[in-house]
Amino acid sequence: MINYDVLRSSFHALHGRRPRLFRAPGRVNLIGEHTDYNDGWVLPMAIRFDTVVAGAAREDRRVRVRSLNLDEDAEFDLDTPGPPRRGIWLDYVEGVARALESRGVRLRGADLLIQSDVPVGAGLSSSAALEISVGLALVSLAGMEIDPVSLALAGQQAEHEYVGTRSGIMDQFIATLGRADHALLIDCRSLEATHIPLDTSEVAVVICDTQVKHELASSEYNTRRAECERGVDILREVMPETRALRDVSVANFERFGPLLPEPIRQRCRHVVTENQRTLAAAEALRNGDLEATGKLMGLSHRSLRDDYEVSSPELDLLVDIAGMARGVLGARMTGGGFGGSTVNLVGRDCLDEFHETISGEYFRATGIQPAIYVSEAAGGAEEMR
Ligand code: GLA
């Protein structure tokens, strides 16, 4: 938990001014994985971990940033184009600032002090939390306003242009538009978002972090995206109105899928079926049917493991162990994959037992202690008053 008073007084000690505070959450995706950049549907929720930015405007156009987590300082000037992609945390900060300016938001310089409790490398979108909290801080300190969708798009632009991952819109979108006690069904083509009540009084959303991050993540991510695009090119020859895999129904895929070479066919099958599962899961959630939601999560995991091939031995192990534990309605990997976390729906009366089984069995098999978090669905980015 971040102590806001301590953050405020640290800022005051550094800069002699009282800061304004802004926060943006991490996220966990319930279902709809690798569908966002295929114009499909996703169903994430914001989690109780945040990145918080304490900031005050400056008279010039310099942005000076201190990361409390890393104990590092960095700065850049909004009027001097910076070097793209240094491979460090500042890329997210500078990337979002430049993305905002390129979208016509004239910023002022600022002093920023950043602290985060979103686990890093856990597949919980610590990077989107950073982009969105900084973006909101910079816009607000410049005396401007921005709608949540434009802010999310600026965060995604930072990811594409400064960080080098061609990510979809899910992470930034849920960071801006999350709502307490709700999951968010996002149509990643129209960018229409629907809040769906998520009652966790009896069933908890539990995140299990493998504590393993495979280096492949970013390059494999871009490869998967290219494979999907290749699939669309081929399918367009027989279904000319296809713009993205979102436009391919399961029935059409069964008919035309055989035209695709492997592994393109497998990749596309995942996306086409995952879209269908995501819509079904949203419907089940709406009806309060967490059991049906859980079953769809299990199918999603298999598809990500076997067809999309973005799981890892550790993720598979956590899902298998969860499958043997009592009170588990569903378990799957969440986020981009190649390490990171699983998301689980677990009956509240079985939480202690779940915790014990997961840490015991996972440790026995890997020698690694997993991190386990229970999270309510949290609210999106905001200024803290
Ligand atoms: C990462 C990306 C998202 C999304 C997921 C996979 O988190 O940032 O846009 O593509 O992977 O669903």
Side-chain angles (χ1 to χ4, degrees):
M1 280 292 269
I2 295 175
N3 186 321
Y4 304 122
D5 291 333
V6 172
L7 188 60
R8 272 198 194 92
S9 45
S10 308
F11 187 94
H12 192 266
L14 277 171
H15 300 291
R17 282 177 297 164
R18 273 189 70 77
R20 288 165 68 184
L21 256 54
F22 306 86
R23 58 162 278 276
R27 65 100 186 90
V28 67
N29 189 18
L30 298 174
I31 194 165
E33 217 66 83
H34 290 277
T35 45
D36 60 353
Y37 52 83
N38 289 299
D39 277 7
W41 291 271
V42 292
L43 189 61
M45 65 174 222
I47 53 176
R48 63 179 168 89
F49 298 109
D50 290 317
T51 297
V52 182
V53 178
R58 295 169 55 88
E59 291 308 318
D60 58 13
R61 294 251 297 157
R62 299 195 73 69
V63 178
R64 299 200 306 169
V65 209
R66 175 162 181 77
S67 157
L68 273 180
N69 294 66
L70 298 170
D71 195 17
E72 276 176 25
D73 295 288
E75 63 174 271
F76 59 94
D77 193 308
L78 289 165
D79 292 321
T80 321
R85 204 180 307 175
R86 279 156 293 207
I88 58 167
W89 63 278
L90 185 67
D91 291 348
Y92 298 98
V93 176
E94 184 165 352
V96 78
R98 302 216 185 269
L100 285 163
E101 288 235 312
S102 79
R103 292 168 166 268
V105 185
R106 172 85 182 166
L107 299 176
R108 292 175 62 180
D111 291 316
L112 306 177
L113 181 63
I114 305 177
Q115 188 174 16
S116 180
D117 64 2
V118 185
V120 174
L124 302 176
S125 284
S126 58
S127 47
L130 177 57
E131 288 149 9
I132 299 304
S133 56
V134 166
L136 181 64
L138 288 175
V139 170
S140 310
L141 294 173
M144 321 269 280
E145 279 182 14
I146 189 165
D147 66 281
V149 174
S150 306
L151 179 56
L153 288 168
Q156 184 195 29
Q157 189 181 335
E159 201 81 39
H160 287 197
E161 292 175 2
Y162 253 73
V163 182
T165 304
R166 294 179 61 213
S167 64
I169 192 63
M170 167 169 68
D171 305 345
Q172 291 80 10
F173 219 83
I174 182 68
T176 61
L177 275 163
R179 183 186 291 173
D181 303 319
H182 288 75
L184 189 66
L185 177 67
I186 309 169
D187 177 332
C188 299
R189 171 171 282 167
S190 68
L191 298 187
E192 191 190 322
T194 317
H195 292 278
I196 301 181
L198 179 60
D199 177 6
T200 54
S201 55
E202 278 166 33
V203 173
V205 176
V206 186
I207 296 160
C208 301
D209 179 2
T210 58
Q211 305 274 26
V212 179
K213 174 92 187 144
H214 295 274
E215 276 316 311
L216 285 171
S218 180
S219 65
E220 287 290 328
Y221 186 94
N222 290 342
T223 307
R224 291 299 179 284
R225 192 166 173 160
E227 286 167 343
C228 292
E229 284 161 6
R230 181 78 195 106
V232 170
D233 285 344
I234 299 172
L235 289 171
R236 200 181 287 128
E237 288 167 21
V238 284
M239 293 186 287
E241 62 301 331
T242 307
R243 280 158 56 204
L245 288 176
R246 140 76 169 266
D247 301 311
V248 181
S249 66
V250 172
N252 275 337
F253 185 79
E254 274 162 13
R255 179 151 172 233
F256 295 119
L259 296 174
L260 303 172
E262 293 298 1
I264 311 266
R265 191 175 69 93
Q266 269 172 261
R267 308 293 189 245
C268 294
R269 182 168 56 197
H270 164 72
V271 175
V272 168
T273 56
E274 183 79 349
N275 273 328
Q276 196 189 43
R277 282 187 290 271
T278 305
L279 290 173
E283 192 51 37
L285 261 198
R286 258 191 212 107
N287 300 329
D289 188 350
L290 288 170
E291 238 165 83
T293 311
K295 289 212 175 83
L296 291 159
M297 288 167 63
L299 294 173
S300 165
H301 184 78
R302 264 196 251 164
S303 177
L304 287 158
R305 182 191 63 195
D306 302 336
D307 273 351
Y308 219 61
E309 296 185 282
V310 291
S311 188
S312 71
E314 297 84 7
L315 287 166
D316 293 342
L317 180 64
L318 280 179
V319 168
D320 289 346
I321 300 169
M324 296 181 310
R326 253 181 2 118
V328 177
L329 302 184
R332 58 181 288 275
M333 56 155 278
T334 186
F338 299 101
S341 301
T342 62
V343 57
N344 306 261
L345 296 182
V346 186
R348 289 228 174 241
D349 48 346
C350 297
L351 273 182
D352 290 343
E353 194 181 322
F354 177 79
H355 199 291
E356 235 168 77
T357 309
I358 292 280
S359 16
E361 297 294 322
Y362 186 72
F363 184 78
R364 215 185 322 282
T366 61
I368 303 168
Q369 207 50 258
I372 301 177
Y373 315 103
V374 174
S375 181
E376 313 307 321
E382 63 186 342
E383 175 163 12
M384 334 243 336
R385 303 189 193 261

